[in-house]
Amino acid sequence: MVPSDLVVELSRWQFAATALYHFMFVPLTLGLSFILVAMETVYVVTGRQIYKDMTMFWGKLFAINFALGVATGLTMEFEFGTNWSTYSYYVGDIFGAPLAVEGLMAFFMESTFVGMMLLGWHRLNKVQHLTVTWLVALGSNLSALWILVANGFMQDPQGSVFNPFTQRMELTSFMQLIMNPDAQAKFVHTSLAGYVTGAMFVVGISAWYLARKRHIELARRSLRMASLFGVISVVGVITLGDALGFIDGGKQPTKLAAMEGLWKTEKAPAPFNLIAFPNQEAQKNDFAIQIPGLLSILVKHDFTSSVTGIDQLEQEAVSRIKNGIPALKALESIQQQLSQNPDLANANARKNDPTLQQSLAQFDAHKKDLGYAYLLKYYAPDVSKATPAQIELAAKKSIPEVWIVFWAFRIMVALGFLMLFFLIWGTLLSLRGQERNSPMFLRLAPWMIPAGFLACEFGWITAEMGRQPWTVYETLPTWLSASTHSVSYMAFSLIGFVSLYSIFIVVEMYLMFKFARKGPDEHGTGGGSLAGEPAFARPVQTLNRD
């Protein structure tokens, strides 16, 4: 039994909404954690109180974001089992491993030490507290690493093999799973994007204080550290983005073609579509502004390589669908033989069964294209009777929604370069001591805070929509991965999740605005330092009545 089209779409919308809501909190956690590390390290080295005040103030905003981020992220792992049961069965032994490590190693570590970081100022000495802050930052980034290792498997399933007897993917090499180039490049790219988001957040609030002549010393130093941190990070984001594009060009050519709106294979050097209006039905761009020769340089890093277009990719998909049909038929034959002869559960019995071995040999010869046969099964339940028209439809289905991927990618890149120029501007002003003399910068900075969040969201849309129509690229189609829930169940749960997470966003915005507007003095002694802890967390002091 397979889920209906509407159930699959509702399942996709629910997971997309959950992921995008959660991803509003993750980048800020990643970015603020290391900014706190930098501030507290300077405090421990120099002993200057202002850097402790900075750490404690920004640590409060970090705590708000961290708490709500945890609340939105916990449900995502459960959704794999509830809404994507076929996917969980098919790849659970592999996909679940990095998620389990993330929970046991990273999440527990950051969750434990974040309490010590926030409440331990009067209980730990300087070095001990700095160590705790480092461990929080390390835990947050390790959490991102293991989640992106799991996601990297979805993008490029390495370190695994399909077992035709259990019809499940099995892990063959944990090191290949971890060292997957897509996962490693995406981890660094995503982490650095979080650092940029955190930097923009600190710069924006610091500029808001400077414009109002409040908390000037804290704001000046915060702006300088965040600007420098942001410039370095955004350069890294752009560099690793180039590396990811290079990897996608080899591993996910359909994603690359969609990102570039490339309908036909272009001879070298291929032009780059700066702006285009993709028309998927007509398979052309209704309008395009091109930069000659730039695409080959960006994607292939030379002038002589052509870039594969969607027309050629669809032709290749037709060949792979035809090659995958014998694999699926052999797999069905193997399953039928196993159900009819219980003795074949024994490995020795399987080796001595000539019919089973014949089916297994046929499967092995065509197994690399099994996923494409599954893609065809959507249009032809009996793939052996598929018509050329159905095969053509399945081939077209192998291409993601071009206009979404194309524009999500460009918005992400545009925001990245916008933040680069803005952070360079802020760094130059700060190093010259002129940040208070630029009203335009101070006015614009708070409005730039959403840029980091939006760039991360559009980057995630590019990565995940570009992988479609697969949950595991070229292995398991999305239409086959969802659970067989009712439409009413999915609609109800989707509305519930969106409503609940919208409340979380409102709470986050309210608390962030509230504590940012109050500033550090409101939480401390009034003299620029910050107590930073609730009364119950401070040592009890006795009054001297003499």
Side-chain angles (χ1 to χ4, degrees):
M1 185 176 180
V2 297
S4 67
D5 290 350
L6 185 52
V7 167
V8 173
E9 287 303 310
L10 288 172
S11 298
R12 290 181 64 193
W13 274 103
Q14 180 169 316
F15 193 83
T18 308
L20 291 173
Y21 271 115
H22 178 58
F23 210 54
M24 291 181 185
F25 302 96
V26 171
L28 188 58
T29 296
L30 294 174
L32 275 183
S33 64
F34 269 109
I35 291 176
L36 292 175
V37 162
M39 291 175 174
E40 189 169 355
T41 299
V42 175
Y43 163 63
V44 172
V45 171
T46 65
R48 298 186 65 179
Q49 179 67 28
I50 185 65
Y51 290 101
K52 180 180 179 181
D53 296 345
M54 289 161 58
T55 306
M56 298 175 85
F57 170 65
W58 296 111
K60 275 190 174 291
L61 301 185
F62 171 86
I64 295 168
N65 186 76
F66 179 84
L68 289 166
V70 170
T72 57
L74 287 174
T75 58
M76 292 182 66
E77 293 187 25
F78 294 100
E79 280 190 43
F80 290 116
T82 58
N83 293 359
W84 300 95
S85 55
T86 302
Y87 168 82
S88 298
Y89 174 83
Y90 201 84
V91 300
D93 288 349
I94 304 167
F95 189 78
L99 294 184
V101 175
E102 185 270 335
L104 294 171
M105 176 194 289
F107 178 68
F108 285 175
M109 183 169 77
E110 62 177 330
S111 299
T112 300
F113 288 110
V114 75
M116 297 175 66
M117 183 185 79
L118 295 171
L119 305 177
W121 284 103
H122 298 300
R123 288 171 168 77
L124 303 172
N125 63 38
K126 288 182 180 180
V127 175
Q128 289 172 336
H129 195 277
L130 176 61
T131 302
V132 166
T133 304
W134 269 100
L135 289 171
V136 170
L138 181 62
S140 298
N141 283 263
L142 281 175
S143 183
L145 170 64
W146 289 110
I147 289 170
L148 290 168
V149 165
N151 182 263
F153 173 79
M154 300 171 70
Q155 307 287 345
D156 180 17
Q158 293 194 15
S160 63
V161 66
F162 179 77
N163 187 328
F165 302 111
T166 62
Q167 296 193 80
R168 302 182 72 183
M169 300 290 289
E170 296 178 351
L171 186 64
T172 57
S173 173
F174 193 60
M175 285 305 298
Q176 285 186 17
L177 179 68
I178 297 172
M179 301 309 296
N180 185 336
D182 186 276
Q184 293 301 316
K186 189 166 290 178
F187 163 64
V188 182
H189 182 69
T190 303
S191 297
L192 289 171
Y195 302 165
V196 177
T197 304
M200 294 301 304
F201 179 80
V202 174
V203 167
I205 294 176
S206 299
W208 189 82
Y209 287 147
L210 291 174
R212 285 155 182 77
K213 297 180 173 57
R214 295 175 55 193
H215 321 301
I216 291 175
E217 285 306 306
L218 182 144
R220 286 182 63 245
R221 286 171 169 79
S222 295
L223 190 147
R224 178 175 297 181
M225 292 186 72
S227 295
L228 286 167
F229 184 69
V231 168
I232 296 169
S233 299
V234 78
V235 170
V237 168
I238 294 169
T239 303
L240 266 295
D242 175 72
L244 266 177
F246 188 77
I247 291 170
D248 286 342
K251 297 293 185 179
Q252 292 183 300
T254 53
K255 177 189 288 186
L256 177 66
M259 285 165 53
E260 304 302 344
L262 196 63
W263 298 102
K264 299 184 182 300
T265 300
E266 297 282 355
K267 295 180 180 179
F272 173 76
N273 290 318
L274 182 65
I275 297 174
F277 299 128
N279 184 334
Q280 192 133 359
E281 186 175 350
Q283 294 207 328
K284 67 174 185 177
N285 294 321
D286 291 334
F287 171 81
I289 298 176
Q290 296 184 326
I291 301 177
L294 183 59
L295 185 59
S296 290
I297 300 171
L298 293 175
V299 174
K300 302 294 185 178
H301 297 171
D302 61 43
F303 291 96
T304 59
S305 299
S306 62
V307 183
T308 306
I310 289 172
D311 59 342
Q312 185 176 333
L313 292 171
E314 287 185 355
Q315 292 173 11
E316 293 173 2
V318 169
S319 298
R320 298 193 67 176
I321 289 168
K322 291 178 179 178
N323 189 58
I325 291 173
L328 183 54
K329 295 306 294 181
L331 182 61
E332 292 172 349
S333 175
I334 291 169
Q335 293 302 311
Q336 184 179 17
Q337 293 173 63
L338 290 174
S339 65
Q340 292 175 351
N341 186 356
D343 293 338
L344 292 178
N346 182 280
N348 291 326
R350 292 200 292 265
K351 291 180 181 178
N352 297 322
D353 189 299
T355 305
L356 183 64
Q357 289 300 312
Q358 182 179 0
S359 297
L360 192 58
Q362 179 179 322
F363 174 80
D364 288 338
H366 301 274
K367 64 182 179 182
K368 69 182 182 69
D369 292 326
L370 175 64
Y372 281 87
Y374 281 137
L375 205 60
L376 174 63
K377 198 172 177 66
Y378 177 84
Y379 299 98
D382 185 350
V383 295
S384 62
K385 298 180 180 178
T387 65
Q390 290 172 324
I391 293 174
E392 189 72 27
L393 280 173
K396 290 185 180 298
K397 182 80 170 180
S398 68
I399 307 300
E401 289 287 340
V402 175
W403 74 270
I404 296 176
V405 180
F406 180 89
W407 280 108
F409 173 69
R410 271 149 186 76
I411 293 172
M412 174 193 69
V413 171
L415 289 170
F417 278 101
L418 175 63
M419 289 186 288
L420 172 63
F421 298 137
F422 191 81
L423 288 167
I424 290 174
W425 184 17
T427 300
L428 293 175
L429 288 174
S430 181
L431 292 176
R432 294 171 181 172
Q434 297 177 350
E435 63 272 15
R436 286 180 288 175
N437 300 326
S438 178
M440 180 178 293
F441 177 83
L442 298 181
R443 284 196 301 268
L444 289 176
W447 294 101
M448 284 293 294
I449 292 176
F453 296 95
L454 290 172
C456 289
E457 295 286 2
F458 281 108
W460 199 247
I461 290 171
T462 301
E464 300 308 298
M465 287 299 295
R467 192 189 66 242
Q468 295 303 315
W470 311 96
T471 46
V472 182
Y473 190 69
E474 294 186 335
T475 301
L476 182 65
T478 303
W479 77 270
L480 197 57
S481 303
S483 303
T484 54
H485 291 307
S486 66
V487 172
S488 58
Y489 171 88
M490 287 307 307
F492 177 78
S493 60
L494 174 60
I495 293 170
F497 270 107
V498 170
S499 301
L500 178 63
Y501 280 27
S502 296
I503 293 172
F504 285 157
I505 294 295
V506 171
V507 170
E508 161 100 348
M509 296 290 289
Y510 169 76
L511 291 175
M512 285 293 190
F513 273 101
K514 176 182 177 180
F515 287 100
R517 283 179 180 275
K518 282 185 175 181
D521 288 357
E522 296 294 330
H523 304 288
T525 61
S529 64
L530 183 64
E533 294 184 3
F536 68 81
R538 300 174 199 151
V540 176
Q541 298 178 348
T542 58
L543 296 177
N544 187 344
R545 296 180 181 273
D546 295 336

